[in-house]
Amino acid sequence: MLGYFIFDVIHRDRRFRIIHCSSPDPNVDEVIAALREVSLSQPPADSYAFFTPNLELRRSQLQAIIAEAEFADRFPEVTKYFDTPSVHVVPFDHKGRLMNPPSGFPDLEVIVSAGMSKIFVDRKGLLTAQDGYHYAKPSGKHSQSFMRVGNVMASSAEIDFIAFASLRFIGDNIKRIYCDTGAIFPVAFAASRLRELLSPDARECLVESFGSFEGLKTFKFVLPSDSVVLISASTSGGLASLVSKRESLFSRDRIVTLFYFGESRPEFAVCDLGEGTHSSGTLDPFRSFEGKDECELCKKGWSLISLEGDQFLPGESRTEPVVIKATDTPGKWLSKFVETVHGYSIIKAQYTDSDDGSEQPFHIFLDAERLFAPAVLGEIPELSERLAWVIEQNVPYTLRRIITLSDPASIAMAESLRSKVAGVLRDEVSVVEANTIFSDIEGQTASSGSTIVVASTVSSGRSLHAVSQVLRAAQPNEQLHYLIGFARCPSKERLDELRANLTFGGKEHGFWLLSKVFIPLSREGREDAWACELELFKRIIRSAKSGEPIHALLRQRIVEIRNASSKAVKGLEHDVFLRTSAGKRMELQPNFAFLDFSYKQGEVSQAETYFLISSILHHMRNGGRNPRLGQHSFVRRILSPRCFDRFNDGVIQSAILRAALPAEIDYSTSELESKEMASIIKVLVQQSGNQIGEAAREFALALATKRLRLCRAELGEVCCSLEENADLLLQALGDEIANTQLR
């Protein structure tokens, strides 16, 4: 409460409640209100003590309040004690010494530590970066945490308490207080004022900031023999040592740290946070490292955020290029899954299953209806044998009903399951669509036998949760199991959560998967590369001269993308990307680093390649505690231009451009990466007629749709090379860039 700082000290199994009073005119209502507020969150105290400057008026005011009948009547309600605890007024003098403290009272060091620790914790003076990030402090040291005392300067009563705690280091002869940062000026001025009030020999101090580590290099101290240095916070005493070396006239006791939190015990510190005894929380110890070479966090690959100035403010956001490596694979499942389904037209890109195309497309579509058709499933041993094993080892003999989600793929899978168990089970098994259960719960209630719920594909699990909820009533014996074709969750954690939610209950429920993949949500709300492409091509057609040869090429591509949304085609497979300048489809070359099986050129489709790259980038964004493509307010991660040197297969380069988020290929944030990326693109454009430049059109498209960005100078250079190329599409894209981004 304004004018009062209240905290508890535990000493010898007793709780002392300290009320530091900085109100110039305290009264009963204020005191009772302040005590009541604390009593709502803290246990009762054994003793109460009012701290106040040793001024006759202030002492008499507080003593009068304690003696008032109104205080005696109202005090018990905030103490929660049957017997009213003792209440004392404890003044302090100009050297910060307590005068006539009651018997058994805690030592001053203990009281100061408890009070200042509480202030520091409550005001969040310690800032810790999330895993994967750490700080470079102005001292040059690296750490995941740093102390910002500026956050602590929030309450006049709390500042007065810190000033009182500092008085023992500020003698009567002190004329100047040098602070490492202007953020602690309030403490210096409050200490100077208290000293003037309490000592007839003291004079007002001048207060200056020398600007911490950076400012110390040029700052000139005046009359250091009559001065004291206040350092806001430290973990090692490094700044104090530097000041001592700079100014030999400063004795060691004239360089004082307000808050110290380090491994060693400080010599002159107002509060050692490592020994704080307080009830508001604890501070976890943290380590500092002497620069990059010694930093264990740097060695782990954690991103670095530079802190600048005397108030430790984060510097400007930094761009960090990331190279895709073989170790970025999300797991063995990726290569195994592609090996299992490649060649069967199962993996598609850019398909919307709504009749009017109003639904956002699946960037990655798994055609479960085709896969679970008997003719195809029988040709894939890995999945058909897995289904046979589930039936043989897990399907209960009491199975009477299969409930299927209402999509065609789930129905096909349910019928396949029924046909395979028909010769094994004694009783006939029925297949019921979930919509039927929803519309007639009472009529579809089964009190005996077992039920298996079948879903061809599951991502969020919302449909299965809805079925599970209804079956609490429609399957009262709880003999309920789940069979899923593809679990395509964004992470293993999400899949485990889905499994736990569905199988939770009084009885054990089966939960069986034929296959699982961890890829982005099927319809996540992110920019659609193909929608951008369509919009761009339609705009070029509208603006170009009638009859230009480029129209036919653009219209053909528009039709190609639109036809992919038909239920007959179900997405793009071999024309996911633009064709080369020679009019050929790009094909994946053998020996791609992320595939562990042998294949010939062209056997892995463009859609399967896009699936591979999407899975890898998704893992780089979200996998583990320190995702290599994870973004932070002060660290922007982009895909290094070297990725396109390492993976020089045109179809892989195109997949990266389409699967990357725009921020991940925004090279306008770094002049160095912009130059490197522009150099790569210009080579590809120059070689667009051969295999080296297969993806030139995709790079030009990414630039024209503003998904890929360069600095203006490099963009102009690339634009010129596009306009000079013989490929009409590259020319058109170059014109679009010139007209919309360079004018």
Side-chain angles (χ1 to χ4, degrees):
M1 183 175 178
L2 189 65
Y4 301 87
F5 168 50
I6 304 176
F7 62 97
D8 288 355
V9 180
I10 310 299
H11 180 63
R12 295 179 181 174
D13 297 327
R14 297 186 66 204
R15 181 180 292 269
F16 294 84
R17 186 151 294 164
I18 310 299
I19 306 101
H20 184 83
C21 176
S22 63
S23 174
D25 188 23
N27 59 65
V28 171
D29 290 336
E30 281 184 359
V31 170
I32 292 296
L35 292 175
R36 180 183 292 111
E37 186 176 335
V38 174
S39 70
L40 295 175
S41 58
Q42 296 297 324
D46 300 289
S47 180
Y48 288 71
F50 286 87
F51 277 21
T52 182
N54 187 29
L55 300 171
E56 184 177 350
L57 176 61
R58 192 75 58 82
R59 290 197 315 270
S60 60
Q61 285 177 315
L62 289 173
Q63 288 167 346
I65 289 172
I66 295 171
E68 283 188 35
E70 183 180 356
F71 180 84
D73 290 340
R74 299 172 64 183
F75 186 54
E77 73 176 273
V78 299
T79 63
K80 302 180 184 177
Y81 261 71
F82 178 76
D83 294 322
T84 304
S86 60
V87 185
H88 307 274
V89 175
V90 181
F92 57 84
D93 66 11
H94 66 288
K95 292 186 177 182
R97 295 173 299 196
L98 300 181
M99 305 180 68
N100 302 318
S103 176
F105 206 61
D107 293 339
L108 178 61
E109 291 282 350
V110 175
I111 294 171
V112 167
S113 178
M116 290 185 64
S117 295
K118 175 177 171 58
I119 295 170
F120 193 84
V121 172
D122 287 356
R123 299 298 180 183
K124 295 180 172 55
L126 183 67
L127 302 181
T128 300
Q130 67 190 68
D131 283 351
Y133 300 88
H134 69 298
Y135 300 105
K137 296 186 279 189
S139 63
K141 293 185 177 181
H142 290 201
S143 177
Q144 194 180 3
S145 301
F146 72 96
M147 296 191 287
R148 183 186 286 155
V149 177
N151 290 5
V152 174
M153 304 292 116
S155 161
S156 62
E158 293 171 1
I159 292 169
D160 275 352
F161 180 82
I162 299 172
F164 143 71
S166 306
L167 285 178
R168 65 188 189 273
F169 296 103
I170 306 175
D172 289 345
N173 67 320
I174 297 300
K175 297 179 180 179
R176 290 175 177 80
I177 300 177
Y178 293 108
C179 301
D180 66 332
T181 170
I184 61 170
F185 274 9
V187 172
F189 284 123
S192 176
R193 178 178 57 83
L194 280 174
R195 200 183 57 144
E196 281 188 86
L197 289 172
L198 296 171
S199 173
D201 299 325
R203 295 292 180 268
E204 181 181 2
C205 291
L206 297 176
V207 179
E208 285 189 81
S209 169
F210 61 86
S212 195
F213 287 92
E214 188 62 30
L216 184 61
K217 298 174 183 177
T218 57
F219 187 82
K220 294 182 179 180
F221 292 95
V222 178
L223 296 174
S225 60
D226 296 331
S227 307
V228 68
V229 175
L230 282 187
I231 294 173
S232 55
S234 178
T235 60
S236 65
L239 182 56
S241 296
L242 288 176
V243 173
S244 181
K245 291 177 182 178
R246 264 284 313 274
E247 295 292 342
S248 58
L249 291 178
F250 277 129
S251 59
R252 296 175 64 85
D253 61 344
R254 293 290 181 87
I255 305 173
V256 182
T257 301
L258 290 181
F259 293 95
Y260 185 89
F261 191 31
E263 296 178 3
S264 60
R265 185 178 180 86
E267 189 172 4
F268 299 102
V270 179
C271 174
D272 182 358
L273 292 166
E275 297 184 354
T277 303
H278 50 94
S279 57
S280 59
T282 58
L283 293 172
D284 295 326
F286 65 93
R287 293 180 62 192
S288 294
F289 304 94
E290 296 288 345
K292 182 176 182 180
D293 293 339
E294 303 295 327
C295 181
E296 295 178 6
L297 304 178
C298 285
K299 293 174 182 178
K300 289 166 65 175
W302 287 24
S303 294
L304 192 64
I305 302 170
S306 295
L307 300 175
E308 300 175 354
D310 59 348
Q311 298 192 39
F312 283 29
L313 299 176
E316 295 182 0
S317 61
R318 180 169 54 85
T319 299
E320 185 176 284
V322 177
V323 177
I324 301 173
K325 301 178 180 178
T327 53
D328 287 318
T329 178
K332 294 181 178 179
W333 66 264
L334 179 58
S335 177
K336 185 64 178 176
F337 181 75
V338 175
E339 181 181 7
T340 299
V341 304
H342 87 279
Y344 291 99
S345 299
I346 304 302
I347 299 176
K348 304 285 188 68
Q350 203 62 9
Y351 170 59
T352 177
D353 54 355
S354 60
D355 294 330
D356 58 359
S358 59
E359 289 281 357
Q360 186 179 0
F362 292 96
H363 299 300
I364 297 172
F365 177 68
L366 303 179
D367 192 349
E369 182 179 4
R370 173 175 170 77
L371 177 62
F372 294 116
V376 176
L377 185 62
E379 292 183 13
I380 304 177
E382 290 82 356
L383 294 180
S384 58
E385 290 173 7
R386 169 69 180 169
L387 180 59
W389 180 86
V390 169
I391 293 171
E392 180 181 345
Q393 299 293 326
N394 296 284
V395 170
Y397 186 71
T398 56
L399 179 64
R400 299 292 179 270
R401 175 172 63 175
I402 299 172
I403 295 177
T404 172
L405 301 188
S406 299
D407 62 283
S410 296
I411 294 172
M413 186 175 166
E415 292 294 346
S416 180
L417 175 62
R418 178 167 64 171
S419 67
K420 290 182 180 297
V421 301
V424 179
L425 302 180
R426 181 186 62 192
D427 296 327
E428 183 178 351
V429 177
S430 61
V431 174
V432 182
E433 289 190 35
N435 287 340
T436 303
I437 304 291
F438 293 151
S439 60
D440 184 17
I441 297 177
E442 185 175 347
Q444 295 296 327
T445 298
S447 300
S448 62
S450 302
T451 293
I452 292 179
V453 178
V454 169
S456 62
T457 308
V458 170
S459 53
S460 66
R462 283 191 290 270
S463 298
L464 279 183
H465 280 304
V467 174
S468 174
Q469 185 176 9
V470 169
L471 287 178
R472 292 174 189 171
Q475 189 76 33
N477 66 358
E478 297 186 47
Q479 295 295 322
L480 186 61
H481 311 280
Y482 300 88
L483 175 61
I484 296 169
F486 291 131
R488 50 164 299 164
C489 297
S491 66
K492 180 181 181 299
E493 290 72 25
R494 289 285 290 274
L495 176 59
D496 291 342
E497 180 183 356
L498 172 63
R499 184 198 305 267
N501 290 341
L502 291 176
T503 59
F504 177 79
K507 296 185 179 181
E508 184 176 349
H509 304 296
F511 186 90
W512 311 304
L513 300 172
L514 298 188
S515 188
K516 58 187 176 184
V517 297
F518 302 117
I519 55 179
L521 288 174
S522 55
R523 282 171 168 153
E524 58 182 3
R526 65 185 180 93
E527 189 176 58
D528 185 336
W530 290 271
C532 292
E533 179 185 358
L534 284 176
E535 182 60 34
L536 173 67
F537 286 176
K538 287 188 288 185
R539 187 167 66 247
I540 292 176
I541 290 174
R542 289 195 301 267
S543 62
K545 295 178 181 179
S546 178
E548 249 187 76
I550 192 64
H551 281 195
L553 178 62
L554 298 183
R555 288 197 179 100
Q556 179 184 349
R557 178 60 177 168
I558 291 171
V559 170
E560 203 168 59
I561 295 175
R562 286 176 172 170
N563 285 346
S565 293
S566 70
K567 294 188 181 298
V569 178
K570 291 187 177 178
L572 297 165
E573 182 179 7
H574 299 293
D575 289 299
V576 177
F577 314 119
L578 293 173
R579 298 197 177 197
T580 70
S581 293
K584 296 180 180 180
R585 286 174 173 163
M586 288 182 280
E587 296 178 340
L588 184 65
Q589 305 296 316
N591 302 316
F592 182 33
F594 289 94
L595 293 178
D596 298 331
F597 61 92
S598 298
Y599 60 92
K600 296 179 181 178
Q601 179 175 333
E603 284 187 348
V604 176
S605 70
Q606 290 187 5
E608 290 159 353
T609 306
Y610 176 72
F611 170 84
L612 278 163
I613 297 299
S614 293
S615 303
I616 293 163
L617 294 183
H618 176 69
H619 177 69
M620 292 175 70
R621 294 180 197 116
N622 304 284
R625 296 179 64 188
N626 181 22
R628 296 212 308 123
L629 263 182
Q631 304 297 333
H632 187 275
S633 302
F634 300 103
V635 180
R636 299 185 61 178
R637 290 194 172 112
I638 58 175
L639 290 168
S640 171
R642 285 183 290 155
C643 293
F644 300 101
D645 280 333
R646 288 169 60 88
F647 302 103
N648 53 17
D649 196 333
V651 70
I652 299 174
Q653 294 175 335
S654 301
I656 293 173
L657 292 172
R658 298 266 184 169
L661 300 177
E664 295 165 353
I665 49 176
D666 183 358
Y667 302 100
S668 66
T669 60
S670 169
E671 185 176 350
L672 179 62
E673 269 65 43
S674 178
K675 290 181 181 296
E676 189 174 353
M677 191 71 248
S679 177
I680 291 171
I681 296 174
K682 285 188 288 185
V683 170
L684 295 177
V685 172
Q686 292 167 4
Q687 301 291 331
S688 61
N690 57 49
Q691 187 174 348
I692 294 175
E694 282 185 326
R697 285 180 168 182
E698 282 288 330
F699 279 94
L701 176 64
L703 284 170
T705 55
K706 300 181 184 179
R707 299 189 76 255
L708 187 155
R709 291 177 180 268
L710 300 173
C711 294
R712 185 176 180 84
E714 286 75 53
L715 183 62
E717 294 174 8
V718 171
C719 185
C720 289
S721 65
L722 291 172
E723 292 176 320
E724 294 169 0
N725 196 278
D727 182 347
L728 294 178
L729 180 53
L730 291 180
Q731 291 179 22
L733 294 173
D735 289 341
E736 175 68 15
I737 294 169
N739 293 330
T740 60
Q741 299 182 51
L742 294 175
R743 282 188 173 179

